[in-house]
Amino acid sequence: MKLLFDKAQWMMSADGAYLMIRTNRRDATAFCDEMKEGKVYEADIKEHRKKRSLDANAYAWLLIGKLANKVGLPKEEVYREFIKDVGGNYEIFPIRNDAVEKWIFNWRQRGVGWVCDILGESKLDGYTNVISYYGSSSYDSLQMSKLINLIQEDCKQCGIEVMTPEELALLMDGWAS
């Protein structure tokens, strides 16, 4: 069960420490009703972020397809180039020289947009620096918005019709909370 909350506090009692979260009554009672006595439960608490919608993803791929057709490149290649321009969506890893090819192969197995480039020799002897980009399947709404804006700008330059800012705002507002 996933619970959203906006406030928390803790208290001590004779049998231990308690974390209390403020959520809606329906979810709180449903969770407590479903708990089985004697079982241990796990909570993974992190800041809630809006997720991108499938509509935004579909729109990005629609534009990528039109742009790829216009420039005569495979849509996957066009997509991968946009991934590199998003910013903040990569890690640089020093990889042992004899493991670079395997690293790149395994990273790319995660999806079409999971891209690697070799940056060059690492300061660590026997290692190569590899920049590894995360694909858009892992993006939050801000990163997806940046990606769509990049795609739209290139489409405009090629004379491909894109959504108006108002239409795009409606699409972005449609992201699931």
Side-chain angles (χ1 to χ4, degrees), residues 39-101:
K39 296 288 182 183
V40 175
Y41 291 81
E42 179 179 324
D44 180 21
I45 300 174
K46 56 189 173 193
E47 186 177 343
H48 177 71
R49 299 181 80 175
K50 283 186 173 183
K51 295 179 183 170
R52 62 187 175 88
S53 73
L54 291 177
D55 288 340
N57 193 48
Y59 178 60
W61 277 104
L62 173 74
L63 292 181
I64 289 168
K66 289 180 178 184
L67 190 58
N69 188 46
K70 185 86 167 185
V71 298
L73 293 171
K75 63 182 181 280
E76 294 81 6
E77 189 175 324
V78 171
Y79 169 65
R80 287 183 191 110
E81 287 306 312
F82 282 118
I83 291 295
K84 294 178 184 182
D85 293 335
V86 170
N89 62 332
Y90 63 86
E91 302 287 340
I92 298 173
F93 299 101
I95 307 295
R96 217 176 51 241
N97 290 342
D98 64 336
V100 169
E101 285 184 37

Side-chain angles (χ1 to χ4, degrees), residues 1 7 16 18 36 44 53 91-92 99 104 115 133 143:
M1 171 178 260
K7 201 170 199 177
Y18 286 84
K36 295 179 181 145
D44 180 21
S53 73
E91 302 287 340
I92 298 173
I104 292 172
V115 182
Y133 296 89
Q143 290 170 313

Side-chain angles (χ1 to χ4, degrees), residues 137-156:
S137 60
S138 68
Y139 288 6
D140 60 24
S141 58
L142 180 61
Q143 290 170 313
M144 194 64 180
S145 179
K146 287 180 184 177
L147 177 64
I148 289 174
N149 287 335
L150 288 168
I151 296 166
Q152 283 197 140
E153 285 307 311
D154 278 14
C155 285
K156 287 178 195 174

Side-chain angles (χ1 to χ4, degrees), residues 98-143:
D98 64 336
V100 169
E101 285 184 37
K102 186 172 185 173
W103 171 268
I104 292 172
F105 175 81
N106 287 332
W107 187 266
R108 289 178 178 168
Q109 294 305 301
R110 297 175 180 198
V112 175
W114 295 72
V115 182
C116 289
D117 285 329
I118 295 174
L119 293 178
E121 198 174 307
S122 171
K123 65 181 176 182
L124 301 172
D125 192 38
Y127 284 74
T128 299
N129 285 330
V130 178
I131 186 167
S132 301
Y133 296 89
Y134 297 102
S136 64
S137 60
S138 68
Y139 288 6
D140 60 24
S141 58
L142 180 61
Q143 290 170 313

